Amino acid sequence: MVQFKKEEKEKHLYEYEITIEEEKVQEKLENIYKEASLRVAVPGFRKGKAPRAILKAHLNQNFIKDELARSLIPDALSKVIKEENLTLFGEPDIDLVTVEEGQPLVFKALILEKPQTTLANLEDIEVRKYKVVIRDSDVEKEIEGIQKSRGLWKEKEDLPVETGDMVKVKIEDKEYAVMASFSDDESVLSRVVIGLKRDETGKFRPQETEADKPAEEVDFTVIEIMKKEIPELNEEFLTQLNPELKSLDDLRLKTRESLEKWAEDLVQIRMEKEAVALLAKKSEVVVPSVLIDHETKHQIDHFIEHIQKDGMTLEKYMEITNTDFESIEKDFRKQALWQLKKMFVLQEYADKNGISVGKEEMNEEMERIAQRTGKEVEDVKQILEKNNKMDDLMDQKLQQKLILDILQKVKTKELEEPINIDQWKALEDPEEEMVE
């Protein structure tokens, strides 16, 4: 028989003190000693024949306790969970209180119950559908970008370095390449090289230095200057770009069509993000603080790792941004709460609407990946399993299904006033609007 006491630590977080009666413990103990006597060799006795007292002296008492706990706790915990009708989120934390012969086994289980989620009515949610217009200037800018992407680097002779040039410099016995560009810091290498010719020397001050130690100037020599030659918009360029292009007007038309399709995709993606964000914002769910704490720490650790890759410490970041750790933690805590709330809302939506990803859908997705990458389906499957990415792919597929289902059920408000690409880029991210 299992008895328990329950204490609510906070909403959805409970501590159970569970007691397994002495009779059950003794029964399990008899089985443990019986099995051990058949495995453990006791000098002077055949296996299974050593008296209990002598056998006990040859056994590690921690082993006995561990075996008792391993054998009894899962079943006892399962009975409590069933009796209490709990839906767990994650694995309970177990803390042994009493594990002794001749006594009941007592342990504590910290149980996090899956938070109850009340979904908002999708009929009360309205997303905005923007109309993004493509200007002639956008088309020309895109064509200019295509030209630049197909340009070739060619060495300049005795001309000085200009902004945009690729410059090769020699520092001591090593060579480095730098893109010439203006900077607010007049001592950085990318700015110092401007105006110099090949074989001329200069000095710059490195940005990465030891903490609180001023950087020393470094000498360098310009050994090569490369300028990118942009191809002309002539018949040869059009043919290389696409044999079907017969004129510059054809290129403009194709470019406009491509930009308009790109703009439509952007509008669709924003509508999807806005629908999910509004559903999460309007739904009700109490996220336990222990989860928020854990997710906040995870995000901060990830952030620190990211800035360290750029050669910056958290202390330096706080100094540059004129902030403190308390403010940073507060911002990440808001993000953590939002991400957790959105996760629980989408889980509830999937459960309530019976949306899942089946084996057939996964196979179809792997076939698409195989076609895209030129690999065999079985090879794709093995790569995903080897890198533990199969669950990630399933989650990604489920997210896609959920988002499309949500978007089909919410209301859509088409905005009459069109906006251009610059105005589009100035829009705030839908989720940032929702984070409180």
Side-chain angles (χ1 to χ4, degrees):
M1 184 177 177
V2 175
Q3 297 179 336
F4 62 86
K5 293 186 292 184
K6 172 182 176 182
E7 180 184 352
E8 185 174 12
K9 295 293 186 180
E10 63 172 285
K11 188 71 173 177
H12 303 302
L13 182 65
Y14 307 96
E15 183 180 78
Y16 283 82
E17 184 176 278
I18 301 171
T19 301
I20 303 173
E21 62 182 359
E22 182 184 339
E23 183 180 340
K24 187 72 174 176
V25 174
Q26 195 60 37
E27 180 184 326
K28 181 58 64 176
L29 198 58
E30 290 295 328
N31 291 334
I32 293 172
Y33 278 125
K34 184 176 181 180
E35 291 175 5
S37 70
L38 297 173
R39 296 197 310 266
V40 178
V42 179
F45 297 92
R46 288 178 298 172
K47 287 186 177 180
K49 298 300 181 180
R52 171 70 59 84
I54 297 175
L55 174 65
K56 186 176 178 181
H58 279 76
L59 293 176
N60 187 316
Q61 288 306 298
N62 287 332
F63 164 77
I64 300 296
K65 293 179 180 180
D66 289 344
E67 281 296 296
L68 276 173
R70 184 186 63 80
S71 303
L72 296 172
I73 287 178
D75 184 58
L77 184 60
S78 179
K79 288 179 179 178
V80 172
I81 291 171
K82 185 176 181 181
E83 184 176 336
E84 290 284 277
N85 194 26
L86 296 171
T87 302
L88 271 58
F89 184 80
E91 293 294 323
D93 287 336
I94 304 298
D95 183 23
L96 292 172
V97 179
T98 303
V99 191
E100 299 290 345
E101 289 190 41
Q103 296 184 31
L105 188 151
V106 182
F107 68 96
K108 290 183 178 180
L110 190 64
I111 293 177
L112 183 61
E113 184 184 30
K114 183 180 178 181
Q116 293 180 346
T117 302
T118 304
L119 294 175
N121 189 342
L122 291 181
E123 294 180 358
D124 297 333
I125 294 176
E126 183 178 77
V127 298
R128 297 163 292 183
K129 185 175 183 179
Y130 288 87
K131 182 179 180 181
V132 182
V133 294
I134 303 300
R135 302 163 295 185
D136 291 342
S137 59
D138 299 323
V139 174
E140 297 303 322
K141 186 176 180 180
E142 183 69 12
I143 292 174
E144 184 180 318
I146 295 172
Q147 283 180 271
K148 289 181 178 179
S149 69
R150 292 181 172 259
L152 298 175
W153 290 102
K154 292 194 175 181
E155 187 175 359
K156 295 172 72 170
E157 297 300 328
D158 295 326
L159 296 174
V161 176
E162 299 173 290
T163 302
D165 287 349
M166 184 69 71
V167 185
K168 188 181 289 184
V169 300
K170 190 170 185 178
I171 302 173
E172 296 180 345
D173 59 343
K174 292 185 179 180
E175 296 181 358
Y176 302 88
V178 62
M179 183 75 75
S181 61
F182 277 103
S183 169
D184 292 335
D185 189 341
E186 298 180 3
S187 66
V188 298
L189 182 58
S190 60
R191 178 166 180 168
V192 172
V193 294
I194 296 175
L196 297 179
K197 294 182 179 181
R198 190 173 57 186
D199 296 330
E200 290 187 339
T201 61
K203 295 177 182 289
F204 78 102
R205 197 178 298 278
Q207 291 178 297
E208 292 186 11
T209 63
E210 296 180 19
D212 302 322
K213 183 179 179 180
E216 296 180 359
E217 287 190 325
V218 175
D219 295 316
F220 69 89
T221 302
V222 176
I223 58 176
E224 189 176 26
I225 305 171
M226 305 282 284
K227 185 177 182 65
K228 200 170 195 179
E229 288 193 355
I230 309 300
E232 294 183 16
L233 282 174
N234 51 29
E235 187 175 338
E236 180 184 357
F237 176 80
L238 295 175
T239 302
Q240 290 177 351
L241 194 62
N242 186 342
E244 296 181 2
L245 297 174
K246 303 302 180 184
S247 66
L248 183 56
D249 285 340
D250 282 351
L251 176 59
R252 290 192 177 103
L253 179 61
K254 290 286 185 184
T255 303
R256 178 175 288 278
E257 289 174 351
S258 176
L259 286 174
E260 287 174 347
K261 176 63 171 64
W262 170 71
E264 288 176 4
D265 290 343
L266 288 179
V267 170
Q268 177 70 15
I269 292 170
R270 185 179 179 88
M271 289 171 61
E272 293 171 358
K273 290 185 71 174
E274 193 169 304
V276 172
L278 283 168
L279 175 61
K281 183 178 178 64
K282 292 177 177 290
S283 297
E284 296 180 7
V285 53
V286 178
V287 182
S289 62
V290 65
L291 278 182
I292 302 173
D293 293 342
H294 182 272
E295 181 62 19
T296 301
K297 183 180 183 304
H298 172 74
Q299 291 192 16
I300 291 176
D301 289 345
H302 181 74
F303 172 72
I304 293 174
E305 182 181 338
H306 175 72
I307 62 175
Q308 284 177 342
K309 287 181 180 179
D310 293 331
M312 185 180 293
T313 64
L314 180 61
E315 290 72 21
K316 188 66 175 177
Y317 173 83
M318 291 189 292
E319 179 185 337
I320 293 172
T321 56
N322 192 29
T323 187
D324 53 31
F325 185 79
E326 185 178 349
S327 300
I328 292 174
E329 187 179 39
K330 184 178 180 181
D331 289 339
F332 275 111
R333 194 171 182 82
K334 286 182 181 179
Q335 288 293 334
L337 174 58
W338 170 255
Q339 293 299 330
L340 288 166
K341 183 179 180 182
K342 188 172 69 169
M343 178 190 71
F344 284 121
V345 167
L346 289 177
Q347 283 181 353
E348 181 68 17
Y349 188 88
D351 293 342
K352 189 174 181 180
N353 292 276
I355 300 174
S356 61
V357 178
K359 185 176 180 180
E360 185 176 335
E361 290 174 292
M362 286 294 290
N363 290 335
E364 290 175 356
E365 189 65 27
M366 284 186 283
E367 285 177 6
R368 280 191 285 270
I369 296 173
Q371 291 175 359
R372 192 167 64 246
T373 59
K375 298 181 183 295
E376 296 294 328
V377 175
E378 191 58 35
D379 291 336
V380 171
K381 183 178 180 180
Q382 288 179 4
I383 292 171
L384 290 170
E385 289 176 344
K386 181 180 178 181
N387 294 284
N388 298 317
K389 294 295 183 182
M390 194 64 80
D391 288 342
D392 291 344
L393 181 62
M394 183 176 286
D395 288 342
Q396 181 181 335
K397 187 67 180 174
L398 178 60
Q399 289 281 326
Q400 292 172 354
K401 291 184 69 175
L402 290 172
I403 291 169
L404 289 176
D405 193 80
I406 292 168
L407 189 58
Q408 288 173 0
K409 295 176 181 177
V410 299
K411 296 178 182 177
T412 301
K413 179 182 180 180
E414 296 196 21
L415 303 181
E416 296 180 4
E417 191 69 27
I419 61 175
N420 58 47
I421 290 178
D422 293 331
Q423 292 170 317
W424 172 268
K425 291 178 179 178
L427 293 175
E428 189 175 10
D429 183 275
E431 288 205 14
E432 291 181 4
E433 296 179 21
M434 308 299 168
V435 179
E436 297 177 349

